Amino acid sequence: MLTTANLPLGYTQIAEMDYLLFAKQRLFVVLSDDDLVFIKKKPSPYPNHEDEPGLLVYQKEFPRAAAAWIVDTIENRLWRSAAEGGEPSGKNSVTEVVAGEKLTLRRTMAVGDAREKGFILINASRKSVNFDEDYQEIEFSDRLLKDGGLLGILRNL
């Protein structure tokens, strides 16, 4: 697992923001030549289980090329109606292979504490760093993408 305070050579933190999905959580965006990494940090309610002092840390990894794919899929396929060139009515997800990894972006009407509209991004090609799962996933609300600036950050990569 990466540590944002001491990233290995070749990794750069490009953003830190309020996660906006859950209270008191921070989202870090880290980049390398090959990878796009999202790191979520939240206060640990368990004094005997902390990944960093006082915090639980969750790491989600995607190929760097996923940034452009995420922006394109959201803006041109899932936020648009079929009449505007988006996905057909009733289709709420896109699954494709990006840089050799199977990614899914799914539109959902209930992410985070406030149950906001947003997306779930899944990488079915990498096992979870934190759990015993054969995939990695992260949620983004529309508010995080727009007001939080995450979509602009991804667009600039």
Side-chain angles (χ1 to χ4, degrees):
M1 186 165 356
L2 297 175
T3 304
T4 55
N6 189 24
L7 290 170
L9 188 62
Y11 285 85
T12 304
Q13 179 183 314
I14 58 167
E16 176 184 350
M17 63 190 69
D18 286 333
Y19 188 39
L20 297 181
L21 287 176
F22 302 97
K24 300 180 183 175
Q25 291 192 21
R26 302 288 292 165
L27 179 66
F28 298 79
V29 182
V30 175
L31 202 59
S32 75
D33 287 343
D34 300 320
D35 294 320
L36 168 64
V37 182
F38 298 102
I39 299 173
K40 297 185 310 181
K41 295 184 181 186
K42 72 177 197 173
S44 176
Y46 317 108
N48 60 342
H49 179 75
E50 298 173 345
D51 300 308
E52 292 181 9
L55 298 171
L56 294 175
V57 179
Y58 302 93
Q59 181 171 309
K60 312 301 178 170
E61 305 164 343
F62 299 87
R64 183 178 175 141
W69 179 81
I70 293 165
V71 172
D72 179 63
T73 302
I74 289 172
E75 291 183 332
N76 298 316
R77 298 174 73 179
L78 295 172
W79 269 347
R80 289 187 183 192
S81 68
E84 298 169 316
E87 293 297 315
S89 180
K91 185 173 181 205
N92 65 353
S93 68
V94 174
T95 299
E96 293 179 345
V97 174
V98 177
E101 299 187 35
K102 184 178 178 185
L103 306 183
T104 297
L105 193 59
R106 182 183 322 132
R107 183 73 164 137
T108 183
M109 298 298 118
V111 297
D113 284 342
R115 311 311 289 165
E116 301 176 46
K117 292 179 182 179
F119 297 89
I120 298 172
L121 175 62
I122 301 166
N123 186 342
S125 296
R126 297 191 193 197
K127 291 183 182 239
S128 175
V129 173
N130 300 94
F131 305 107
D132 187 23
E133 299 172 332
D134 290 335
Y135 63 93
Q136 297 183 25
E137 73 177 20
I138 187 168
E139 297 177 332
F140 303 121
S141 66
D142 288 0
R143 187 167 53 106
L144 176 64
L145 291 163
K146 294 176 185 177
D147 301 340
L150 182 58
L151 198 60
I153 290 165
L154 295 174
R155 187 180 294 111
N156 289 329
L157 295 182

